Amino acid sequence: MMATMLNRDRINSAIYDQALLWVVLILLGLGLVMVYSSSIAIAEADKVLRYNSSYYLVRQSIFLLVGITTAFVAFNIPIAWWQKMAPYLFLIGLALLILVLIPGIGRVVGGSRRWLSLFVINLQPSELMKLFAAMYVADYTVRKAAVMDSFTKGFMPMLMVMLLVGGLLLREPDFGAFAVIAAISISILWLGGINARIFVGLIILLVVGFVFLIWSSPYRLERVIGFMDPWADPFGKGYQLSHALIAFGRGEWLGVGLGASVEKLLYLPEAHTDFLLAVIAEELGFVGVSLVIALFAWIVIRAFRIAKEAIENERYFAALLAQGLGVWIGVQSIINMGVNMGLLPTKGLTLPLMSFGGSGILANCIAMAILLRIDFENRRLQKGLPA
């Protein structure tokens, strides 16, 4: 009897990371509030939406419900299964990236072919590909650990695969997703033990490649020019950034108050997606922005601590995947915040867990569920229980 009670206590004590869960839920909840606040004017002015001010609120609520439900299912799947399925999920992601480029199947919005129409919602394959790429590169690095020092056997196959992914993304075009996936892949390879000379060479190659892509594309070059001096053409190239900066300036320390933003009144483009942070800055001020930054920083730090614990348990795939997920959330958040603050050229990347969008919310929720699962299995192993 005593042994049974002790065993039951050990099982019950192997709980999930409640702090991480609450941080994620706070970001999702705050995102829902700010999406509604920033989208009221846009929805009311749209004839297609029949001037329904709560349109985006309802849609985002549905996205959150689907995302959280899917995350619950993902949390209950062992990490060993994700590792086994990583190559197949990656192939599914590639197939979706190819489908989105086929005329008549892929949907064009704003000059970019990034969405697959599922009648009720639009699926953005690049969001799911970030998750699938993190899994695939982590699995590849573990499988090829013995030859990671070799350029031809370890690095070249992965390079060819990522060039294929990059080519498909740039055909959409989705330069932002390509940058995030490249950051995830390089980080996992580096943390997985790739040769230092190969790593340095890859960084140089990527920098040269990014410069070439910007220089060879007129619209990307215009964004960089607008970023350098948005006030030189505030009604043209610098329009988005200038209004984002105005929003930050109006917010000051404590903001103008929830719902009181002026820039969201059809001045700031994409206020509920790419420039949600600017609305947060205007309505909640420096304090609100600092809170958001702190929450994202906490997730990234926690992801790397979970990875360290997985390494101690000799769970190398789980460790690399946790680090990859941390890099994903960190890099995408930094890029989005940098764009909103005028520190980086304008790029179409949403703020993870917060911006409006079904595909992004779904992918982010699954990623956080997997991170929680890695931590959950770490805790069980530390208590002598099976993962």
Side-chain angles (χ1 to χ4, degrees):
M1 174 70 75
M2 183 62 70
T4 302
M5 292 178 63
L6 288 173
N7 188 50
R8 186 180 300 167
D9 289 341
R10 289 171 67 194
I11 293 174
N12 292 336
S13 62
I15 58 175
Y16 55 88
D17 189 334
Q18 296 185 39
L20 176 58
L21 176 62
W22 275 110
V23 168
V24 172
L25 290 176
I26 289 170
L27 285 172
L28 290 173
L30 179 59
L32 179 63
V33 172
M34 295 312 303
V35 163
Y36 180 46
S37 176
S38 61
S39 65
I40 293 175
I42 300 172
E44 286 182 341
D46 196 324
K47 296 180 181 179
V48 177
L49 303 183
R50 299 180 181 179
Y51 313 106
N52 181 6
S53 62
S54 61
Y55 174 82
Y56 291 102
L57 171 65
V58 173
R59 297 276 290 184
Q60 187 74 347
S61 299
I62 295 172
F63 296 155
L64 286 176
L65 179 61
V66 173
I68 292 173
T69 302
T70 307
F72 178 78
V73 175
F75 175 78
N76 285 281
I77 297 175
I79 297 301
W81 186 89
W82 291 110
Q83 183 175 6
K84 180 181 178 181
M85 295 300 297
Y88 305 105
L89 292 172
F90 186 76
L91 289 175
I92 291 173
L94 279 177
L96 292 175
L97 289 180
I98 293 171
L99 281 176
V100 82
L101 295 176
I102 300 176
I105 298 179
R107 184 182 178 190
V108 179
V109 178
S112 298
R113 191 184 298 274
R114 301 179 184 177
W115 292 267
L116 292 173
S117 178
L118 301 181
F119 302 105
V120 179
I121 61 171
N122 294 320
L123 177 67
Q124 189 172 356
S126 60
E127 291 293 338
L128 294 177
M129 196 59 183
K130 295 169 187 175
L131 176 61
F132 297 159
M135 292 180 180
Y136 178 73
V137 180
D139 176 59
Y140 177 89
T141 304
V142 171
R143 286 188 288 109
K144 299 287 187 178
V147 294
M148 286 306 291
D149 277 340
S150 171
F151 181 81
T152 55
K153 295 181 180 180
F155 174 69
M156 183 57 71
M158 178 54 64
L159 176 63
M160 299 306 296
V161 169
M162 287 305 149
L163 285 177
L164 173 60
V165 173
L168 292 172
L169 288 171
L170 292 175
R171 287 285 297 171
E172 295 183 6
D174 195 343
F175 185 76
F178 172 54
V180 173
I181 290 175
I184 294 170
S185 304
I186 293 170
S187 299
I188 293 176
L189 289 172
W190 169 248
L191 294 167
I194 194 174
N195 184 284
R197 287 178 295 178
I198 297 176
F199 178 75
V200 173
L202 177 61
I203 294 298
I204 295 173
L205 180 64
L206 280 173
V207 171
V208 173
F210 281 140
V211 171
F212 174 76
L213 287 172
I214 293 171
W215 189 262
S216 62
S217 175
Y219 87 93
R220 292 193 190 108
L221 189 58
E222 284 185 2
R223 285 186 171 184
V224 173
I225 294 173
F227 156 73
M228 297 299 291
D229 187 6
W231 307 110
D233 188 10
F235 299 104
K237 301 182 185 70
Y239 183 81
Q240 288 178 308
L241 179 54
S242 61
H243 280 280
L245 294 176
I246 290 171
F248 271 86
R250 293 192 73 247
E252 298 184 350
W253 286 98
L254 299 176
V256 296
L258 184 63
S261 167
V262 171
E263 286 300 317
K264 70 181 182 183
L265 303 178
L266 306 183
Y267 293 105
L268 181 64
E270 307 297 336
H272 59 307
T273 55
D274 299 353
F275 285 91
L276 184 68
L277 188 71
V279 178
I280 294 174
E282 186 176 4
E283 295 189 351
L284 304 182
F286 176 81
V287 173
V289 173
S290 297
L291 174 63
V292 171
I293 293 174
L295 292 173
F296 278 113
W298 196 93
I299 290 178
V300 174
I301 293 170
R302 186 71 190 111
F304 275 81
R305 287 180 178 172
I306 290 172
K308 182 180 178 182
E309 293 166 2
I311 293 173
E312 292 172 354
N313 292 318
E314 298 183 351
R315 303 173 63 233
Y316 300 113
F317 169 78
L320 290 173
L321 180 56
Q323 291 167 337
L325 297 178
V327 169
W328 169 14
I329 297 299
V331 169
Q332 185 163 333
S333 300
I334 289 171
I335 293 176
N336 178 272
M337 293 174 184
V339 167
N340 276 253
M341 297 178 186
L343 301 176
L344 293 172
T346 303
K347 191 77 234 58
L349 274 178
T350 56
L351 190 60
L353 299 167
M354 297 190 71
S355 292
F356 176 81
S359 300
I361 290 295
L362 177 63
N364 295 158
C365 286
I366 295 174
M368 292 299 97
I370 292 173
L371 186 60
L372 282 164
R373 178 71 195 195
I374 295 172
D375 176 72
F376 175 75
E377 293 186 4
N378 286 342
R379 292 169 185 247
R380 289 183 65 85
L381 288 171
Q382 289 168 359
K383 297 178 183 298
L385 300 169

